[in-house]
Amino acid sequence: MIHNKKEFNGGLALLVLFFIVLFAMFQPLFDGHNAMAYLDNLYNSISKGSAYYVDNLKEEAKSVAGYQVNVTMKMKSESQAADSVALITAAGATAEAKGKELTVSGDYLAILNACLEDSDKMYHNDGAALIAKYPVFAGKDERQALYNWNVILEGFDKGLKEQEAFAQAKVAFNINSKVVETAYNYYKVVPEQIKDKVGIVIFSLAFYVIYTMWYGFGILFVFEGWGLKISGH
């Protein structure tokens, strides 16, 4: 027995419309993507657009100008150590691979700037430029060069701290965490500025709140119309 048909039918209509909209949201209606995939890509793009630190880190790297680095580090594999020689020599420094160990010596700033330039290309999704620059990575994942830079900078961070060159180690750490990892993780994502997408951002956030309440009120009206109530007795 329905206690309040008007309230019950109103709640039922809300739930039916809710699931119709939900079905539509899973259709590829938004640039060939469903609503969730579209918004996920949008927020990734906005996030990437606000995570560009290459210019800032180039300025920070100038603090190590004139420093000659000499660090032996352990890479993840022998092949990675061998391939990483190309990264260092292209920067005008010297590298020698023995098994998994890579010994790097030379102008620290030149090495860091080479890393920043490669990361900048990958941030702008130009993986082909790195393959052309480093033929040793041809046929591999375009992000491999960045992964190698990631391990090299970790090696600098650890090795320089052991040499008590803490200021120089910090620069490597910052470039790795703010530039190399960002470029690697966001590769192929097109960066967007939130000011260019403010309309859809506000709409999506407002829709999320309204849509959640929509479902809640639909359930509430159905059960109240049905005659089910919460009682303290």
Side-chain angles (χ1 to χ4, degrees):
M1 180 71 71
I2 303 301
H3 176 71
N4 186 326
K5 288 186 178 181
K6 182 177 180 181
E7 190 172 20
F8 178 85
N9 290 335
L12 193 61
L14 284 175
L15 290 177
V16 169
L17 288 173
F18 175 90
F19 285 106
I20 289 173
V21 172
L22 183 65
F23 175 79
M25 287 168 60
F26 279 96
Q27 304 309 304
L29 304 176
F30 306 90
D31 294 335
H33 299 91
N34 64 40
M36 271 61 72
Y38 174 79
L39 289 175
D40 185 55
N41 291 336
L42 173 64
Y43 282 104
N44 277 339
S45 296
I46 291 172
S47 176
K48 181 177 181 178
S50 64
Y52 184 76
Y53 300 108
V54 174
D55 293 337
N56 292 342
L57 269 298
K58 280 184 178 179
E59 287 300 312
E60 184 175 331
K62 291 178 182 178
S63 66
V64 301
Y67 186 81
Q68 296 297 306
V69 71
N70 191 325
V71 172
T72 296
M73 61 193 71
K74 182 167 288 187
M75 307 299 283
K76 302 296 184 182
S77 65
E78 292 185 8
S79 61
Q80 186 183 50
D83 291 346
S84 295
V85 171
L87 300 177
I88 304 302
T89 55
T94 301
E96 181 182 6
K98 289 184 178 179
K100 292 183 180 181
E101 288 191 340
L102 179 71
T103 300
V104 179
S105 58
D107 188 324
Y108 190 38
L109 178 59
I111 296 169
L112 296 180
N113 280 336
C115 175
L116 286 165
E117 289 170 8
D118 290 350
S119 299
D120 193 41
K121 288 184 174 66
M122 291 296 283
Y123 179 93
H124 291 98
N125 302 320
D126 190 7
L130 263 65
I131 298 299
K133 183 178 179 181
Y134 307 113
V136 69
F137 296 112
K140 299 179 181 179
D141 187 317
E142 293 171 311
R143 297 176 298 174
Q144 186 63 48
L146 275 192
Y147 179 60
N148 286 28
W149 275 124
N150 171 263
V151 179
I152 290 169
L153 291 178
E154 287 179 349
F156 280 148
D157 182 38
K158 180 180 179 182
L160 290 171
K161 284 177 179 175
E162 290 174 351
Q163 296 174 14
E164 298 187 356
F166 298 110
Q168 290 80 3
K170 183 179 179 181
V171 176
F173 176 83
N174 288 343
I175 290 174
N176 208 13
S177 60
K178 295 182 179 180
V179 176
V180 176
E181 291 179 6
T182 297
Y184 184 95
N185 292 329
Y186 283 113
Y187 182 57
K188 291 190 176 178
V189 174
V190 178
E192 298 275 6
Q193 297 298 319
I194 191 168
K195 66 177 185 284
D196 298 326
K197 298 290 184 178
V198 66
I200 186 64
V201 169
I202 292 174
F203 172 80
S204 65
L205 294 175
F207 178 79
Y208 174 78
V209 173
I210 293 169
Y211 195 58
T212 303
M213 293 174 63
W214 180 347
Y215 179 74
F217 277 107
I219 292 290
L220 175 66
F221 293 154
V222 164
F223 281 103
E224 283 194 346
W226 194 2
L228 297 178
K229 294 184 181 292
I230 298 175
S231 174
H233 299 288

